[in-house]
Amino acid sequence: MRMERVKMLAGELYDPMDTGLVARRERARDLCQALNATGEARQAERRRIVSDLFWSGGDTVLVQPAFPSITEEAQ
């Protein structure tokens, strides 16, 4: 997986179906769904999810859910 991720980040051709990259995409979608499910009163949980999703910024970044999926925007 490391090799395909390195190629992707370098802007080179890579295999998007690499098992590691697929797992990262699935995890990101799961985290977005979890963030969308939080309410205003759950700010600490939102910060944790944002930190998990972006690997930083949980204390300094404000992200307001909801993130519509592509299929929701097309409707």
Side-chain angles (χ1 to χ4, degrees), residues 1-60:
M1 182 219 37
R2 184 74 182 148
M3 195 62 167
E4 295 306 307
R5 183 170 183 270
V6 169
K7 288 191 263 183
M8 178 187 72
L9 293 174
E12 299 171 4
L13 291 177
Y14 65 96
D15 178 7
M17 297 310 294
D18 174 78
T19 57
L21 294 177
V22 169
R24 284 176 177 260
R25 283 193 300 274
E26 289 173 354
R27 176 160 166 67
R29 279 193 298 270
D30 289 345
L31 288 169
C32 286
Q33 288 175 348
L35 182 62
N36 286 341
T38 61
E40 287 293 321
R42 295 163 59 189
Q43 293 299 316
E45 185 175 358
R46 284 183 179 180
R47 282 193 287 287
R48 181 195 58 78
I49 294 169
V50 168
S51 289
D52 287 350
L53 186 59
F54 298 111
W55 296 11
S56 67
D59 292 328
T60 59

